[in-house]
Amino acid sequence: MTRDDEAAARAADAFAERFGRAPEGVWAAPGRVNVIGEHTDYNGGFVLPVALPHTTRAAVARRDDGRLVLRSLQHPGDDADLALADLAPGSPAGWAGYAAGVVAELAGAAPGGLSVLIDGDVPAGAGLSSSAALECAVALALRDLLALGLSRAELVDVARRAENDFVGAPTGILDQSASLLCEAGAALFLDTRDRGTEQVPFDLAAAGLALLVLDSGTTHDHAEGGYRDRRRECEEAAARLGVPLLRDVPDVAALERLADGTAEGALLHRRARHVVTEDARVLRVVEVLRAGEDPRAVGPLLTEGHASLRDDFEVSVPEIDACVEAVLDAGAHGARMVGGGFGGSVVALVEADAVDAVTAAVAARSTRTSAVVPSAGARRLA
Ligand code: GLA
C-alpha cells in the first residue's frame, strides 16, 4: 500500500465511523515550504515554494438535510454542525472555519449540505501552511464532487477568499498556490502579479544535498497583527513611490526617495528594500536551478534572505535567528526563516550525508527536524 492509499483508507474508515456510510471520495492537499520569496506575494512579486510530503485529507459526501458537518481527527470533540444558511464569516470559528470558508464560497452547488471528515499530518503552527492545506483539500473535493469545472488557478482564489474573507486572515496567494499547483520533484516559480507559473526542476538528492525543515516550536501572539502592519507599510511605500505594487520598483536605487529624513520614511525604505531585494533573490535562485548550476550556490541567497527579513522587514524573532545561526554553524550552505514570521520554521540547505549530524547539532533549537523532498500538489486519493 502506498502512503496515499493508507491515508485514504484511514480517512474513509473514520468517515464511516462518524457518519455511518462511506464517503463519496477522499482528497489530499500538501503543506508547503517556501524556498525563497517571502512577503513578496501581496506585493505582486515572485515566490518559489515546494509542496511537502505531509498532507491534509478530506473525506466528503453530500447530505440532504441542508447541514454542514465537519469533524477533524486532529481536533476530537470539536466538530462543527450547522445549517448551510448559518455559515457566516467567523462562524464556525477555529479549525473548522478554514473548511467552512471554502464551503461558503461553493455551497450554492450543494444545497443539500455536506459531511466532511478531516485527517492530516501537516504540523500545525509551524509556518508550513496547514490551514491552506485544509482549504485546498476541501476546495478540490468540492470541485470534483460537484463537477464545478473550476481550474486549479481558480481554486487558489476560492481558498484565498476563504482565508481572507471568512477566517479574516489577510494573506496573499503563496500558500494556496503551493498546495494546489506544485508538482513532485520541482519548485513552483510563481509570478504573483500575472499568475504565470513554471515548474523548476529541484532534484537536490542528485546533487548530494537535502532540504531540511526545522520547527523552532515558537509562535508569537502578534503574528497576525505584525503581518497586517507589514502589508500596510508595503502599500504605503508603493503609494509614496507612485507604483501600484512594490513589484513595479525597478531597483533599490529607486527607493531612495522614501528616505525623507523622517523615522517613518526610513522604516518604509527598509520594508521596501526587503521586497525589492527578495524578488531579485528569487530570480537568481531560479536562474541557478534552470541552468543546472551547482545548487549549493542557492545557500548564500537563503542566508541573505534571512538577514533581510530580520533586519529590514523585522519579522524574525530571537528563537528563529538562533536556529538559523545554529544550523549555519553546523555546516549548512544556507538557512532562512519560512512563512509570515514571528515564529514557525527554518529551512536549510545541507549536504545529504550531513543531515544526521546537523539534526543532532540543532536539537536544542528545533522541536522537529526533517529532510523534505518536493512532493505532489493536491490530488484525489480515492
Ligand atoms: C504567510 C501568508 C503568505 C505569504 C507569507 C510570507 O504564509 O499566508 O501569503 O505572505 O506569509 O511570504
Side-chain angles (χ1 to χ4, degrees), residues 231-254:
R231 276 198 83 142
R232 217 180 14 243
E233 289 157 2
C234 288
E235 281 158 21
E236 176 63 22
R240 289 192 188 188
L241 291 166
V243 292
L245 294 159
L246 287 180
R247 154 71 184 279
D248 302 306
V249 175
D251 51 37
V252 281

Side-chain angles (χ1 to χ4, degrees), residues 1-29 55-61 69-74 115-121 134 137-138 141 379-382:
M1 248 198 181
T2 66
R3 189 179 162 140
D4 272 5
D5 289 341
E6 276 171 30
R10 189 175 123 117
D13 287 351
F15 184 98
E17 197 176 304
R18 169 65 177 78
F19 295 107
R21 55 158 296 185
E24 291 181 80
V26 182
W27 289 260
T55 59
T56 297
R57 280 81 70 175
V60 185
V69 183
L70 299 163
R71 153 161 299 197
S72 163
L73 297 187
Q74 282 67 50
S115 298
V116 182
L117 183 292
I118 299 295
D119 184 19
D121 58 5
L134 172 52
V138 174
R379 55 203 179 268
R380 184 172 192 158
L381 302 185

Side-chain angles (χ1 to χ4, degrees), residues 24-271:
E24 291 181 80
V26 182
W27 289 260
R32 62 101 187 92
V33 60
N34 195 14
V35 177
I36 194 144
E38 221 67 89
H39 288 277
T40 50
D41 63 348
Y42 53 83
N43 288 302
F46 305 111
V47 293
L48 190 71
V50 298
L52 294 175
H54 310 80
T55 59
T56 297
R57 280 81 70 175
V60 185
R62 281 166 284 190
R63 308 170 60 97
D64 54 17
D65 60 358
R67 298 190 75 77
L68 170 65
V69 183
L70 299 163
R71 153 161 299 197
S72 163
L73 297 187
Q74 282 67 50
H75 300 273
D78 191 15
D79 291 11
D81 183 347
L82 73 170
L84 282 182
D86 291 338
L87 283 174
S91 172
W95 76 270
Y98 297 93
V102 171
V103 174
E105 286 286 328
L106 304 173
L114 295 158
S115 298
V116 182
L117 183 292
I118 299 295
D119 184 19
D121 58 5
V122 184
L128 301 175
S129 295
S130 60
S131 49
L134 172 52
E135 292 154 7
C136 294
V138 174
L140 194 69
L142 298 196
R143 191 237 359 218
D144 291 354
L145 198 54
L146 308 173
L148 298 177
L150 296 168
S151 68
R152 282 179 180 250
E154 288 169 317
L155 291 182
V156 168
D157 285 311
V158 166
R160 188 203 29 89
R161 283 199 300 272
E163 179 130 3
N164 291 174
D165 304 341
F166 198 92
V167 177
T171 60
I173 60 164
L174 163 63
D175 309 338
Q176 294 81 8
S177 300
S179 191
L180 283 158
L181 304 176
C182 277
E183 293 180 9
L188 174 75
F189 176 39
L190 168 68
D191 179 334
T192 64
R193 186 176 58 185
D194 70 13
R195 299 291 192 96
T197 60
E198 178 185 334
Q199 303 290 339
V200 184
F202 196 51
D203 186 357
L204 292 175
L209 292 168
L211 200 62
L212 216 55
V213 176
L214 307 100
D215 183 355
S216 74
T218 50
T219 34
H220 286 244
D221 290 347
H222 56 289
E224 193 172 320
Y227 188 93
R228 229 177 257 282
D229 291 345
R230 293 306 176 279
R231 276 198 83 142
R232 217 180 14 243
E233 289 157 2
C234 288
E235 281 158 21
E236 176 63 22
R240 289 192 188 188
L241 291 166
V243 292
L245 294 159
L246 287 180
R247 154 71 184 279
D248 302 306
V249 175
D251 51 37
V252 281
L255 299 173
E256 288 310 319
R257 283 203 291 135
L258 288 171
D260 59 2
T262 66
E264 197 195 3
L267 181 138
L268 295 178
H269 182 250
R270 288 202 306 280
R271 302 294 189 254

Side-chain angles (χ1 to χ4, degrees), residues 281-307:
R281 281 185 288 273
V282 178
L283 295 178
R284 179 68 193 118
V285 170
V286 168
E287 260 173 35
V288 168
L289 298 178
R290 266 195 203 133
E293 286 175 44
D294 184 346
R296 285 167 187 80
V298 168
L301 294 159
L302 301 187
T303 308
E304 253 177 52
H306 184 72

